[in-house]
Amino acid sequence: MNLTQRQLRIITRVCWTISLTIVAIPFVFPFLWMVSSGFKSPTEIFGQPTLVPRVWRWDNFVEVFTYQPFAQQYFNSLYIAVAVTALTLVIASLAGYALARLRFAGAGLLMLFLLSALMVPEEVTIIPNFFLIRWMGLMDTHWPLILLPVFGPHGVMATFLMRQYFLALPKELEEAGKMDGLSRVGIWWRIALPMSRPALAAVAIITFLFSWNLFLEPLVFVSSLKLFTLPLALSNFTDPYGTPLWHLQLAATSLAVVPVLIVYLLAQRQIIESFAMSGVKG
Amino acid sequence: MREAIEAWLFVSPIVTGFLIFFLGPLIAVFFYSMTEWNLLSQQATFVGLDNFEDALTRNPDFWHVIRNSVIFAAGLVPLNMSLALVLALALSRPSFGAVFFRTIFFAPVVTSAVAWAIVWKFLLQNEAGAVNQILALVGITGPNWLREPDWAMVAVIVTRVIKMVGLNMILYIAALQTIPRDYEEAARLEGASNWQIFSTIIWPLLAPITLIIMVITSIGSFKVFDHIYLMTGGGPENGTLVLAFYIYEQGFKFFNVGYASALAIIMFFVVLALTIVQLALRGRNAR
């Protein structure tokens, strides 16, 4: 049988699509199974489970909130992520602007010095930070969950990202602003920041997710149920012996994951670009 | 002069915070590592390099942990990078299908590692787990994934790859999109096969980004903590006890501050060495 170029191309495409669909299964199935199991009773979970629950058990989603202060924990994650994002945006764009535009002795050295932080894992500094936070009297508060991400390697990465973006911006508008008598802060706030919206958006997106998903720091610094953030709360749906209460745990996990996924699906281009810009790794 | 003062004011928040919460602790951990300090006894005594000697020569756990970390990295890095490259090659041209699949493969990256680990732990249970039930449909009796040391290692590596491969995929896609299409078309006119185009044109042009991806993926593999903590807790029989988890366990479960700090220093140097080796490789390739 002789195939024309065109037929050959179509066959190749179909083969690719089939292979990609097969590869996609372990990427999609966990989400579907998570949501579906969140609606099942414990007996159904351990029977012969099906993808569509036989009985939709909405009670799981009520029980999630009575088992532990889940609403409060949800709110904690949300407000901490907002605070970390806002602080990171201000601090990183200030420092990034100075490193890109202003001439000062030691700028290069400072840059190198900050960048070296990107190589050091949090696990290396977590023990001294534990004593520092305890000495400051901030154990079992949300402060370490805000301060450490803002000033740690993630904050440095955000600073570097802002600096790169500012470097690529044309200087003329800023010089015009200077002529018009704007102060340095005025130039930063009124001219440089409005022009760097894409970079600010990228920093905001990755910082929010970074804080939202943070686990080691809450685990080490927070011990009261009411102060838990989502990742800690999710890991806490267990019986007194530590066996997971799957129906609750998966219902709660769905509540934590699905809103993020919805936002991701709506803004996937922007979100993926943000990660491509930063090139970081969680 | 004025400019310099303004500049330092602008950078002062990040610099101050960086000194307090990063550089200070980094220096402190070197001192801690030379003490015998159990949090319960509240007393630190200077013991020189004893903790390092302990790790390297006396504590059998240490080499086991290093072995696990190396296996984890050796499994994760090539698997992650090759899958990322294949997906990127398949999806680099903009089309509806490409955007659709990209969105799917990237979704786990934005999902919290905790949620991901919880769901996979659920999927990988022995008889009640969906993975084994699906395998049973085709007549395969799956192992008790998270209860057998070797299979547990396989499970954490593969689930971690699925979680993170999307990131490397988009880094590769971004790099592929900078390669001019003319190169490929010219080669095709000369009668080059797909494989020839890939191996002689695309792969060499991807070398710089491949090195960068290798650095961040291997550093990331040594940092992995939440994933292991939730899926296996370092078990079974310490089969997935990796360095980051071992530091946490020694520091915050057994309160061996000195020993845990020595481990942290070792981790610091491992990551530093990895970075230097890879930067050196990059330097050689550039010539």
Side-chain angles (χ1 to χ4, degrees):
Chain A
M1 189 174 73
N2 266 328
L3 292 170
T4 61
Q5 279 287 13
R6 197 182 144 75
Q7 282 169 317
L8 201 67
R9 205 175 303 149
I10 291 172
I11 290 174
T12 326
R13 264 192 102 144
V14 170
C15 287
W16 267 113
T17 310
I18 292 172
S19 337
L20 284 169
T21 309
I22 293 170
V23 176
I25 293 172
F27 292 76
V28 178
F29 183 73
F31 293 118
L32 298 177
W33 201 248
M34 164 188 80
V35 175
S36 128
S37 304
F39 280 103
K40 291 172 188 164
S41 67
T43 38
E44 192 178 339
I45 282 180
F46 286 104
Q48 282 290 317
T50 45
L51 189 54
V52 179
R54 274 187 284 270
V55 183
W56 293 79
R57 197 164 179 273
W58 290 91
D59 280 5
N60 288 351
F61 291 86
V62 179
E63 221 178 305
V64 158
F65 290 91
T66 52
Y67 187 82
Q68 53 178 339
F70 194 63
Q72 172 75 48
Q73 295 163 338
Y74 211 106
F75 175 74
N76 292 341
S77 265
L78 206 60
Y79 101 81
I80 290 172
V82 169
V84 169
T85 307
L87 274 173
T88 301
L89 282 174
V90 174
I91 289 170
S93 64
L94 268 175
Y97 182 77
L99 288 166
R101 280 288 192 265
L102 306 181
R103 289 154 177 261
F104 60 108
L109 206 65
L110 180 63
M111 196 68 217
L112 205 68
F113 182 65
L114 288 176
L115 276 180
S116 63
L118 297 182
M119 293 185 308
V120 183
E122 286 117 341
E123 284 87 353
V124 172
T125 50
I126 191 82
I127 294 166
N129 267 325
F130 171 82
F131 290 105
L132 180 66
I133 294 294
R134 201 174 64 166
W135 176 76
M136 290 172 151
L138 299 177
M139 282 305 283
D140 207 19
T141 69
H142 286 150
W143 282 106
L145 314 188
I146 297 173
L147 293 172
L148 295 184
V150 170
F151 294 113
H154 183 84
V156 170
M157 192 275 305
T159 302
F160 188 64
L161 214 146
M162 290 309 302
R163 171 185 177 266
Q164 296 306 93
Y165 199 84
F166 286 131
L167 276 179
L169 286 179
K171 279 184 188 157
E172 286 73 18
L173 263 177
E174 290 173 40
E175 273 154 17
K178 205 171 170 183
M179 297 287 193
D180 290 344
L182 273 181
S183 68
R184 190 74 67 185
V185 177
I187 296 174
W188 166 75
W189 178 254
R190 283 166 195 270
I191 300 173
L193 285 190
M195 284 202 296
S196 45
R197 284 218 183 93
L200 291 170
V203 168
I205 287 168
I206 53 177
T207 306
F208 188 93
L209 284 171
F210 177 79
S211 167
W212 183 260
N213 296 337
L214 204 62
F215 183 66
L216 178 63
E217 284 78 0
L219 184 67
V220 167
F221 295 112
V222 175
S223 49
S224 315
L225 266 185
K226 267 170 63 183
L227 295 176
F228 273 21
T229 55
L230 276 179
L232 267 190
L234 295 181
S235 65
N236 197 41
F237 284 100
T238 54
D239 69 9
Y241 304 100
T243 315
L245 299 167
W246 287 115
H247 61 300
L248 293 186
Q249 191 164 43
L250 293 162
T253 306
S254 307
L255 286 176
V257 167
V258 171
V260 175
L261 279 184
I262 290 172
V263 174
Y264 164 69
L265 290 179
L266 292 175
Q268 56 85 17
R269 181 180 296 266
Q270 170 90 57
I271 291 173
I272 291 180
E273 264 169 25
S274 304
F275 277 89
M277 251 171 112
S278 69
V280 283
K281 190 113 199 160
Chain B
M1 188 61 207
R2 201 194 135 107
E3 191 168 323
I5 293 172
E6 282 170 340
W8 279 103
L9 282 176
F10 272 43
V11 297
S12 60
I14 188 96
V15 170
T16 313
F18 184 78
L19 292 176
I20 298 175
F21 294 108
F22 185 80
L23 196 68
L26 189 59
I27 294 167
V29 80
F30 275 88
F31 286 103
Y32 288 8
S33 72
M34 287 181 275
T35 61
E36 168 82 53
W37 183 0
N38 191 303
L39 205 53
L40 304 177
S41 67
Q42 295 284 350
Q43 218 170 28
T45 34
F46 182 80
V47 292
L49 297 176
D50 237 30
N51 288 319
F52 293 94
E53 213 184 311
D54 224 19
L56 298 172
T57 63
R58 280 192 291 269
N59 198 330
D61 275 352
F62 177 77
W63 288 109
H64 184 71
V65 165
I66 293 295
R67 175 184 156 274
N68 284 345
S69 292
V70 170
I71 291 175
F72 185 80
L76 183 129
V77 176
L79 192 62
N80 184 329
M81 290 181 67
S82 48
L83 183 59
L85 180 60
V86 171
L87 293 178
L89 288 169
L91 302 173
S92 66
R93 303 268 163 79
S95 73
F96 176 77
V99 172
F100 175 78
F101 278 116
R102 261 185 242 169
T103 309
I104 286 178
F105 294 132
F106 196 78
V109 178
V110 298
T111 307
S112 95
V114 168
W116 192 248
I118 286 174
V119 175
W120 275 102
K121 188 178 175 185
F122 180 62
L123 293 172
L124 290 170
Q125 296 170 91
N126 191 16
E127 276 150 34
V131 170
N132 279 352
Q133 288 180 342
I134 291 169
L135 287 178
L137 290 181
V138 288
I140 301 170
T141 313
N144 192 349
W145 295 96
L146 300 176
R147 293 289 158 80
E148 290 169 31
D150 292 344
W151 284 116
M153 182 57 98
V154 171
V156 291
I157 290 173
V158 172
T159 52
R160 185 70 185 172
V161 167
I162 301 170
K163 166 94 175 68
M164 296 310 289
V165 71
L167 192 53
N168 288 344
M169 174 192 75
I170 55 145
L171 296 179
Y172 265 132
I173 288 177
L176 282 169
Q177 285 171 345
T178 62
I179 298 176
R181 291 286 293 276
D182 320 1
Y183 291 12
E184 195 186 324
E185 274 153 25
R188 216 174 283 283
L189 283 179
E190 303 277 326
S193 68
N194 276 337
W195 171 250
Q196 282 172 325
I197 291 173
F198 174 75
S199 60
T200 59
I201 300 175
I202 297 177
W203 178 243
L205 287 172
L206 288 178
I209 188 74
T210 298
L211 270 164
I212 293 171
I213 290 178
M214 213 160 94
V215 176
I216 55 180
T217 310
S218 34
I219 292 178
S221 82
F222 273 91
K223 283 163 63 164
V224 67
F225 170 75
D226 34 18
H227 198 85
I228 304 258
Y229 180 92
L230 281 143
M231 265 185 85
T232 62
E237 296 158 36
N238 290 345
T240 55
L241 190 65
V242 292
L243 193 51
F245 192 87
Y246 190 47
I247 294 174
Y248 170 81
E249 202 179 58
Q250 288 296 325
F252 296 103
K253 225 162 112 190
F254 305 133
F255 305 114
N256 292 323
V257 176
Y259 185 60
S261 300
L263 297 172
I265 298 290
I266 291 169
M267 183 179 198
F268 174 74
F269 282 114
V270 168
V271 172
L272 194 69
L274 269 176
T275 315
I276 291 173
V277 165
Q278 286 166 344
L279 289 179
L281 274 175
R282 174 152 57 165
R284 209 177 58 190
N285 273 20
R287 240 174 281 144

